[in-house]
Amino acid sequence: MQNWRDHAACRQEDPDLFFPIGTTGPAQVQAQQAKRVCGHCPVREQCLDWALETGQSIGIWGGTTETERRSLRRRARSRPRSG
């Protein structure tokens, strides 16, 4: 896939859906709705990889929240490097 964004399921959605304000109440519902879109996206992995590589700190990317991506980055840093 030359440009993964061309194949993203979110292209058909309101971009605001993927940027909930806050982490409770309506924002939590909104984040779950965004994650459902990501759940059937053919380029979810590429999206998540891009978000991690570029340090996206807000929004839902690759089916993950900001908090989930921070956790993924921490785990990746704590893994022993082979080589």
Side-chain angles (χ1 to χ4, degrees):
M1 257 181 240
Q2 203 155 28
N3 188 349
W4 61 266
R5 291 180 189 140
D6 292 339
H7 304 280
C10 61
R11 288 181 62 88
Q12 306 303 318
E13 303 291 333
D14 180 351
D16 288 341
L17 175 65
F18 299 89
F19 295 93
I21 297 172
T23 57
T24 60
Q28 196 170 31
V29 171
Q30 184 178 340
Q32 290 305 314
Q33 290 171 336
K35 286 176 151 192
R36 274 196 292 281
V37 172
C38 297
H40 65 82
C41 183
V43 293
R44 180 179 176 177
E45 270 187 53
Q46 292 93 328
C47 179
L48 177 56
D49 289 346
W50 179 83
L52 291 169
E53 288 169 13
T54 60
Q56 298 302 307
S57 61
I58 60 170
I60 307 295
W61 294 92
T64 63
T65 64
E66 301 96 337
T67 303
E68 292 164 336
R69 287 191 303 280
R70 273 194 301 272
S71 177
L72 288 171
R73 283 191 290 273
R74 272 195 303 274
R75 271 189 262 148
R77 284 193 303 262
S78 67
R79 278 190 218 128
R81 291 191 172 192
S82 59

